[in-house]
Amino acid sequence: MTGRQESAERTARALAETVRRLQAAAARAHAEARTKAAVNLATGILAERLGLPVAEAAAYLARLAREAGVPVLALAADIAGLPEPKPEPDTGIGPETGAGPETGTGPEAAPSAVGLPVAGPPEAGPPVAPALAAAPDLEHATGAVLDQAAALGVRAVAVWQRLPGGALALAAHAGLCADEVAGWARVPPGVPTPAQLVVGGGTELWPGEPGTDGPSVGVGATRAVLPLLDRGRRRGALELLWPAAGPGATPVFGPARRRELYALADLCTTLLGPPPEAVAPEQAAALLDGLLTPALLLAPALRAGRIADFTVLRVNARFRDPLGRPREALEGASLLETYPVACAAGLLDRLLRAYETGAPSTAERVRLAFREHGPAVPAAVLVSVVPLGNRLLLCWQLEDDREEDERIALLRQAQRLARVAGFEECPAEGRIRWSDGLYELYGLPPGAPPVPLDRLARHTHPDDRPAIRRLLDTVRHHHRTASAVVRLDHPDGTHRFTRVIAEPVVDEAGRLVAVRGAYHDVSAQHWTEVALGATRERLADSEQESAERAQLALRLQQAILPAAPPPLDVTGLHAAVRYRPAAQRDRVGGDWYDVLVLPDRRVLLAVGDVAGHGVGAATGMVALRHALRGLAVTGAGPGRLLAWANTVALREPGQVTATAVCVLLDPLGGELHWARAGHLPPIRFGSDGAQVLSLPHGVLLGALDDAEYEERTARLDPGDVLLLYTDGLVERRDRPVEESVEELIEAAGAPGPDLEQYLDRLLELSPADTDDDTCLIAVQTE
């Protein structure tokens, strides 16, 4: 039988036992009620007469019953002077005990809550010989074990004890030479000795079975290895060695012989020393509540001396039940009853392995299923198990929750970098939600009551109130998206120039149910525009002033448009850019480009052309470029970004119009999404030659109030090149622009590995005759 089959069979047995236990619960409760009084009365009599604490009196009662060879209930009835109880019907299910600090261990165990001692192995052997029972310590007991087992042909005995961290120590031995003992005093974790296999979660090993031939004491000997179980936990192993058997002479053990060896292993378990200290309940609760991940605290449920189930002692506040049940319904419940399908899918096996071996398991992604009444709900779960004394700390997190936390963290980082903050208002519910950045924009302390849009005017300059009224009227009465730039007052007397964008949310009947939007701090852009406006006013009275204005626009354009793209080594891309101004320096246009690595590792590529020349065109270029850069970090697609840019163009003084193309490229997968606003499409160069991407629908920016922009997708294979450009590269007065593009691409040939040289070649071979600005961007995947 394979390990997987054995695990499945053990889980199936545990589930079947749980069903039988629930069916017999009423019978056990009735028996407990009849017998508990007799046991408690006998314990009290012994405590009073012998002057013992109650716990010691209970242990003394159990020891007397064992030495006398009579049931505890019969002895308790005799001491208390009560009639001897009738034998209870056998339900096939042993008494259930928890694993809290009050539960005893080994043959000296105190009675359980129902008056019964903790049971031993399922097949307890005959009484141990008096010489073994009287052994004062483990070393003497090991010698007695060898004497007892000599009748079975055993020549040597080794008792292994598990150490913290998974190593094994040779705690006691008999029949081994000194040199052999010195060489095997400690076995590091990971060495596949037979004892390590058993302590690590395997079944007991009998002579001739696979695994008994691993490295260990007694080289060449025939051996059997039994786990030393303490309340279901594997604290070590008993290894018995026979002389090397000849062919066909491997010892064979029947059930009776095996029970004798089980009894010897139980004796060694009781002499290993105290079990691991239990974590105090208040410490375990504090640890559980301090975890940042969802977690449960479990206690093992023992039946017939073996772990058959776990009890959910406590659930921390971060834990979310996959079936939506509250914490009160989980705490105190059986794990098998609460999550039967998940336990059958492997959860119970992981818990049993961690508890038995005492070894924690690191976070592991597993597929579990949860079901209460309806069909099973599958879920991907990150599971880790940590032993805490005689309890288990089970940490699990649904993968959807983890991904959602990562997305929220990414969005917060993007909002902080772009100085964008979001809000949502539900007037009918009187509820307002703010992202963290809004408190900073308003100059309010975190946790202060959010400011509704109705009261926005109270926090702005008085001159901005008409714009705020128009925004509210457009959103609430006309149910259309609107924006306005306002000056938010700060407590220190300064202002934050902020663009407020709001959109309505309506139900099927057309009623307004919510308002959502964003605040974008555009103070830097505003002061740039103020500087441009002041310069424009100072130079308006003469030709010299006009020339200086054109010079200012050119310098502004040169300052805003970088001479080279940002480093893209981490994204797996190579990029090159070129900007060629118009030949007439007084005809500075509004051509612009942008290459930006976003927080989610995608790359924004954009080129555009604002209509007109001079300071007006440069101002429009600044507004659109800054708007796209700021809004791209929100994670929106290129179509949505162009729709927002259209809103910005419509609200700019003089109503700017422009063409643009926007591309979001995933450098890892090569997938790109793109949209255009009346602009020439990008060109992809691959192994199959040059290909002009198919045109999606999209009108000029600033042309229509409610314009929508279609998105298209494409893919770049390793080594492919994507080219974005403005019409200054190919526009001619005597032919269609498509012909000029085709002629230029054919003349320039394939890009090759040097993108810088290729862009220079395109500018040199350009057939344009309109004397306009030109922007080029080329990216190549690795």
Side-chain angles (χ1 to χ4, degrees):
M1 180 181 297
T2 65
R4 183 182 298 274
Q5 291 172 333
E6 181 181 337
S7 173
E9 183 176 332
R10 178 168 62 170
T11 302
R13 288 198 302 268
L15 288 169
E17 184 179 345
T18 299
V19 175
R20 293 195 301 272
R21 178 173 56 81
L22 292 175
Q23 292 172 345
R28 286 206 310 272
H30 181 67
E32 291 171 3
R34 289 189 298 104
T35 59
K36 185 175 181 180
V39 173
N40 289 344
L41 181 58
T43 302
I45 292 173
L46 291 176
E48 189 273 332
R49 292 181 181 177
L50 302 179
L52 297 175
V54 174
E56 294 183 13
Y60 185 63
L61 176 63
R63 185 164 64 252
L64 287 177
R66 184 170 57 256
E67 293 173 354
V70 298
V72 174
L73 299 180
L75 180 60
D78 185 54
I79 293 175
L82 299 175
E84 182 175 352
K86 297 180 181 180
E88 299 177 13
D90 185 8
T91 63
I93 302 173
E96 178 180 353
T97 62
E102 70 279 357
T103 304
T105 306
E108 298 289 330
S112 69
V114 298
L116 297 176
V118 176
E123 298 183 8
V128 181
L132 270 68
D137 55 33
L138 183 61
E139 194 65 40
H140 288 80
T142 305
V145 167
L146 180 58
D147 295 339
Q148 181 80 1
L152 303 178
V154 176
R155 72 166 179 84
V157 174
V159 177
W160 301 96
Q161 184 173 12
R162 186 185 185 277
L163 302 177
L168 291 182
L170 187 58
H173 58 88
L176 299 174
C177 64
D179 292 341
E180 200 169 23
V181 170
W184 288 94
R186 183 179 183 276
V187 178
V191 178
T193 66
Q196 192 72 272
L197 296 178
V198 171
V199 175
T203 59
E204 65 267 18
L205 297 175
W206 297 101
E209 293 184 350
T212 57
D213 55 352
S216 186
V217 294
V219 177
T222 301
R223 69 191 76 241
V225 185
L226 304 179
L228 302 183
L229 296 174
D230 182 1
R231 291 181 298 176
R233 177 158 289 173
R234 299 183 181 228
R235 299 190 56 202
L238 172 64
E239 189 167 357
L240 303 108
L241 293 88
W242 287 264
T250 301
V252 178
F253 298 94
R257 293 296 189 187
R258 294 192 179 194
R259 284 196 296 271
E260 292 181 33
L261 297 182
Y262 285 140
L264 298 178
D266 290 341
L267 173 66
C268 294
T269 302
T270 61
L271 298 175
L272 272 180
E277 294 185 1
V279 179
E282 60 274 8
Q283 292 176 330
L287 174 63
L288 190 71
D289 293 338
L291 292 175
L292 299 179
T293 57
L296 308 90
L297 186 64
L298 307 177
L302 293 165
R303 299 190 188 94
R306 296 180 180 273
I307 304 298
D309 193 2
F310 290 88
T311 301
V312 181
L313 296 181
R314 188 179 178 91
V315 174
N316 69 358
R318 289 182 172 270
F319 183 81
R320 181 164 62 90
D321 179 56
L323 300 177
R325 292 169 292 193
R327 295 174 60 185
E328 296 77 13
L330 303 177
E331 293 179 344
S334 159
L335 188 72
L336 275 170
E337 297 174 26
T338 306
Y339 300 113
V341 181
C343 287
L347 178 61
L348 180 63
D349 184 62
R350 284 177 170 81
L351 296 174
L352 290 174
R353 185 167 62 250
Y355 185 84
E356 290 175 358
T357 63
S361 65
T362 56
E364 181 182 7
R365 183 182 183 273
V366 296
R367 293 289 299 181
L368 298 179
F370 304 91
R371 178 171 61 194
E372 187 173 19
H373 301 298
V377 179
V381 185
L382 287 174
V383 175
S384 62
V385 186
V386 180
L388 289 178
N390 56 356
R391 293 182 172 88
L392 285 183
L393 182 65
L394 170 61
C395 300
W396 82 18
Q397 186 172 22
L398 297 178
E399 197 164 84
D400 291 343
D401 294 343
R402 184 186 182 192
E403 291 178 355
E404 182 64 21
D405 292 343
E406 292 176 350
R407 284 194 293 267
I408 292 174
L410 179 62
L411 179 59
R412 288 178 175 171
Q413 180 186 12
Q415 290 176 341
R416 179 181 59 82
L417 292 174
R419 305 199 60 79
V420 174
F423 70 92
E424 180 184 58
E425 292 188 12
C426 299
E429 303 175 10
R431 177 169 50 87
I432 303 176
R433 292 179 180 174
W434 270 16
S435 63
D436 297 339
L438 266 182
Y439 293 97
E440 181 182 353
L441 284 176
Y442 271 87
L444 299 175
V451 178
L453 284 178
D454 286 341
R455 300 182 183 176
L456 173 61
R458 302 182 185 181
H459 295 263
T460 63
H461 193 278
D463 293 346
D464 296 330
R465 292 173 183 172
I468 296 174
R469 285 195 298 269
R470 287 193 299 270
L471 180 143
L472 295 176
D473 182 69
T474 301
V475 173
R476 295 186 172 177
H477 298 292
H478 299 286
H479 295 175
R480 291 167 50 190
T481 301
S483 67
V485 177
V486 299
R487 287 162 285 184
L488 284 178
D489 295 331
H490 267 228
D492 59 2
T494 61
H495 297 285
R496 291 285 183 89
F497 287 85
T498 306
R499 184 181 301 278
V500 182
I501 303 174
E503 64 178 4
V505 179
V506 297
D507 58 16
E508 295 179 355
R511 294 185 297 265
L512 182 71
V513 296
V515 178
R516 297 171 182 164
Y519 285 64
H520 182 201
D521 186 352
V522 294
S523 298
Q525 175 185 340
H526 169 78
W527 292 117
T528 300
E529 295 174 353
V530 169
L532 287 173
T535 303
R536 183 167 54 245
E537 292 177 0
R538 287 196 303 268
L539 303 178
D541 295 334
S542 65
E543 291 183 6
Q544 181 62 32
E545 289 177 348
S546 179
E548 292 176 0
R549 184 165 62 248
Q551 183 69 17
L552 175 63
L554 177 60
R555 290 179 178 176
L556 176 64
Q557 190 177 51
Q558 293 172 342
I560 293 175
L561 297 180
L568 298 179
D569 294 342
V570 295
T571 66
L573 299 175
H574 297 296
V577 298
R578 287 292 185 273
Y579 170 68
R580 182 179 64 184
Q584 299 181 27
R585 299 179 65 85
D586 61 342
R587 288 179 51 82
V588 174
D591 285 24
W592 56 273
Y593 65 88
D594 205 356
V595 180
L596 177 65
V597 180
L598 301 177
D600 61 0
R601 314 310 296 168
R602 293 185 300 170
V603 177
L604 169 70
L605 307 171
V607 295
D609 184 359
V610 177
H613 297 85
V615 175
T619 303
M621 176 268 288
V622 170
L624 293 178
R625 183 174 183 271
H626 281 215
L628 276 180
R629 287 180 70 90
L631 295 170
V633 296
T634 63
R640 187 60 175 158
L641 292 177
L642 289 181
W644 284 336
N646 183 60
T647 302
V648 173
L650 289 169
R651 301 302 184 271
E652 282 296 311
Q655 191 169 342
V656 172
T657 59
T659 67
V661 62
C662 179
V663 177
L664 288 178
L665 173 60
D666 180 4
L668 296 179
E671 185 178 13
L672 61 88
H673 297 258
W674 73 287
R676 72 179 191 104
H679 200 87
L680 296 172
I683 301 174
R684 181 183 70 86
F685 297 89
S687 58
D688 54 349
Q691 177 189 6
V692 178
L693 301 187
S694 59
L695 287 175
H697 174 73
V699 300
L700 291 171
L701 299 178
L704 297 176
D705 202 0
D706 294 324
E708 296 183 357
Y709 297 88
E710 181 185 5
E711 290 187 11
R712 293 287 176 90
T713 61
R715 177 171 295 278
L716 294 183
D717 295 327
D720 286 0
V721 173
L722 185 70
L723 176 67
L724 284 72
Y725 55 99
T726 58
D727 57 6
L729 178 68
V730 293
E731 188 175 25
R732 290 186 61 88
R733 299 180 179 87
D734 60 349
R735 69 180 68 175
V737 68
E738 292 80 5
E739 293 183 10
S740 296
V741 172
E742 184 177 350
E743 175 185 340
L744 178 60
I745 296 305
E746 182 177 355
D754 191 341
L755 293 182
E756 303 284 347
Q757 182 180 356
Y758 181 68
L759 294 188
D760 290 338
R761 189 161 70 248
L762 288 177
L763 291 175
E764 180 181 355
L765 297 175
S766 170
D769 63 356
T770 57
D771 190 24
D772 202 353
D773 293 1
T774 301
C775 287
L776 298 174
I777 297 178
V779 295
Q780 184 175 38
T781 57
E782 293 183 349

